Amino acid sequence: QEEIKTELKSIFETSGKPPAERICDLQREMFEYAINVEREFGCTALNNLEQRFKMKPECMQSFQFFLHRQNRACQIAMGKEEELLKAEAEERERRARQMRLQQLQAKAMMEEHGALMDKMEALQPKVMERVQQMSVDERKSFARRALREFATVLKVKNNIDPAEKMAKLGQLSDEKLEEFLLLQTLMGPAARALMQQQQQHQQQHAAHGRLHGHGPPGQGHR
């Protein structure tokens, strides 16, 4: 690693330009010698990663870290290591302060809204049972109605003030609180995946029916 740092620094001192091209060459070598992937194929896949996996946070997080390391290597080669280390230390401290603040907010919310949170947790099994029993059409119909009804609460839910969100939820009756949790669950990834499975099953069933002459009038065997 020290040899690579020295090489990159030498390139910058000689050319006066960031050693980005050499870093790309090193990445190509890494594909073949470190993970046994043909270098051009690996670079093409890496270039397409952001477009293909932009909806997967864990992939994008790793990709951003990879870009950060590339930029970091350039900064060190350009003699900015001390400045870089200072910036990284400040960023770590900022994140630590943010985490401590979130912990304090969570503790305060538990103390103030503990009973409401217990009630919401107790309602979850009933909510999940309702989700399992609903058809795709019933879910869509419920979601359309509930989104209008809980628009104010949902707007607050996406705000940075959790206390305001809990205050809004605390004003709901038990019945409405259950419906809100049902809507929240239906909007989650697990429920959306289940809905897609149900839709695929319905499509397969409909296709099977048409194949055997059980489709809509006029679409049977000819």
Side-chain angles (χ1 to χ4, degrees):
Q1 239 184 5
E2 287 301 324
E3 292 179 1
I4 293 175
K5 286 183 179 181
T6 302
E7 179 188 357
L8 296 177
K9 184 177 180 181
S10 175
I11 292 173
F12 173 70
E13 290 174 345
T14 302
S15 66
K17 297 179 181 179
E21 186 175 344
R22 177 54 181 150
I23 291 175
C24 288
D25 289 339
L26 290 169
Q27 290 170 348
R28 286 183 169 87
E29 293 174 10
M30 178 195 69
F31 282 121
E32 287 193 350
Y33 300 121
I35 56 178
N36 197 29
V37 173
E38 196 276 323
R39 61 179 64 188
E40 294 305 324
F41 175 83
C43 286
T44 301
L46 186 63
N47 291 334
N48 295 332
L49 187 144
E50 189 169 11
Q51 181 63 32
R52 292 187 61 189
F53 299 103
K54 60 183 178 181
M55 300 304 292
K56 294 189 175 183
E58 65 278 6
C59 288
M60 295 314 303
Q61 185 176 3
S62 297
F63 181 61
Q64 291 301 322
F65 178 76
F66 176 83
L67 294 179
H68 168 72
R69 299 300 293 184
Q70 178 178 338
N71 180 64
R72 191 177 192 277
C74 273
Q75 294 293 316
I76 292 175
M78 295 164 63
K80 298 183 179 180
E81 184 170 7
E82 185 175 343
E83 181 181 334
L84 180 66
L85 291 174
K86 181 180 178 181
E88 289 177 346
E90 290 175 350
E91 177 62 16
R92 285 195 297 271
E93 178 59 27
R94 186 193 67 81
R95 291 184 180 181
R97 287 197 304 269
Q98 186 179 24
M99 184 175 295
R100 288 195 295 269
L101 177 60
Q102 290 173 345
Q103 290 172 345
L104 289 173
Q105 288 176 334
K107 182 179 179 181
M109 190 162 57
M110 280 295 296
E111 292 174 352
E112 185 176 355
H113 303 287
L116 176 59
M117 296 177 74
D118 289 342
K119 183 190 294 185
M120 292 169 65
E121 185 176 355
L123 285 171
Q124 281 298 338
K126 186 177 180 181
V127 168
M128 293 306 301
E129 184 179 352
R130 287 183 63 179
V131 170
Q132 295 291 338
Q133 293 174 351
M134 296 172 79
S135 67
V136 173
D137 290 338
E138 287 172 338
R139 293 182 186 192
K140 290 180 178 179
S141 176
F142 173 83
R144 283 194 294 268
R145 176 183 65 79
L147 280 170
R148 291 192 297 268
E149 182 175 355
F150 296 114
T152 303
V153 181
L154 286 170
K155 182 178 179 181
V156 173
K157 178 181 177 294
N158 293 324
N159 204 332
I160 59 173
D161 186 2
E164 188 178 354
K165 179 190 83 171
M166 297 303 291
K168 289 284 185 181
L169 292 177
Q171 296 172 4
L172 300 176
S173 66
D174 289 358
E175 180 182 355
K176 291 301 180 181
L177 182 61
E178 181 181 327
E179 289 196 348
F180 175 79
L181 293 174
L182 177 59
L183 173 63
Q184 193 176 41
T185 303
L186 290 176
M187 293 172 66
R192 289 198 297 269
L194 182 59
M195 187 181 296
Q196 289 176 352
Q197 291 177 359
Q198 289 180 328
Q199 288 176 325
Q200 290 174 356
H201 178 74
Q202 289 178 353
Q203 291 169 357
Q204 291 172 355
H205 182 74
H208 179 78
R210 288 193 296 271
L211 183 64
H212 291 82
H214 302 305
Q219 295 186 9
H221 291 299
R222 294 181 179 178

